[in-house]
Amino acid sequence: MDSTTLIVVAVVVAAAAAVLVWFLRNVSKANASPGRITIVKGPRQGEQIELVGGRTRIGALEDNDIVIPSKQVSRYHAELRVRAGRVHIWDLQARNLTYVNGKSVKTCELSAGDLITIGDAELRYDA
């Protein structure tokens, strides 16, 4: 091969390697968990729930994704929504409200370590 051909091959190999690295980094981000919820107080204390994206409903009824069997928790109390890798909590008009770090919220973006109070249960969000 002449020197021009070697340069072209080297450029093509370098470009292919760069595309492969970009692809692998973005695939790993897309498959990464948006975080997890740990029940730190109340019924089911110590349980950890890995979030998978989309919506995760929290409440007292068995058809919720996170079931908190307590009379202080509404049937459908709150919902976690993952959008663009960020996790938000939405109060579903629960009678006992939803709190994040002691403050009543209708909706808010969660950060690692935030404490969510739902009825007599306390949950921690970890990114």
Side-chain angles (χ1 to χ4, degrees):
M1 283 195 255
D2 64 8
S3 62
T4 304
T5 304
L6 286 174
I7 292 172
V8 169
V9 169
V11 168
V12 169
V13 169
V19 168
L20 180 61
V21 167
W22 175 87
F23 175 77
L24 291 174
R25 284 184 181 161
N26 286 303
V27 166
S28 68
K29 287 179 187 174
N31 291 331
S33 167
R36 80 172 138 312
I37 295 293
T38 302
I39 301 174
V40 295
K41 179 182 169 192
R44 300 176 67 187
Q45 181 175 345
E47 186 173 336
Q48 293 186 343
I49 301 96
E50 198 73 28
L51 300 177
V52 294
R55 295 176 184 211
T56 302
R57 195 172 58 207
I58 305 168
L61 293 182
E62 290 294 322
D63 63 342
N64 285 287
D65 302 299
I66 300 175
V67 178
I68 302 174
S70 170
K71 292 183 181 199
Q72 294 181 24
V73 175
S74 295
R75 295 176 295 173
Y76 303 108
H77 200 106
E79 188 171 81
L80 300 168
R81 298 178 187 173
V82 179
R83 293 199 178 123
R86 297 180 181 201
V87 179
H88 293 80
I89 189 161
W90 293 73
D91 180 84
L92 298 177
Q93 299 180 342
R95 60 187 155 87
N96 284 335
L97 304 177
T98 299
Y99 297 86
V100 175
N101 299 324
K103 180 182 174 188
S104 172
V105 297
K106 292 293 180 192
T107 183
C108 82
E109 183 177 335
L110 297 176
S111 298
D114 280 349
L115 292 175
I116 304 161
T117 304
I118 294 179
D120 57 350
E122 191 168 275
L123 300 80
R124 184 182 64 239
Y125 169 70
D126 294 305

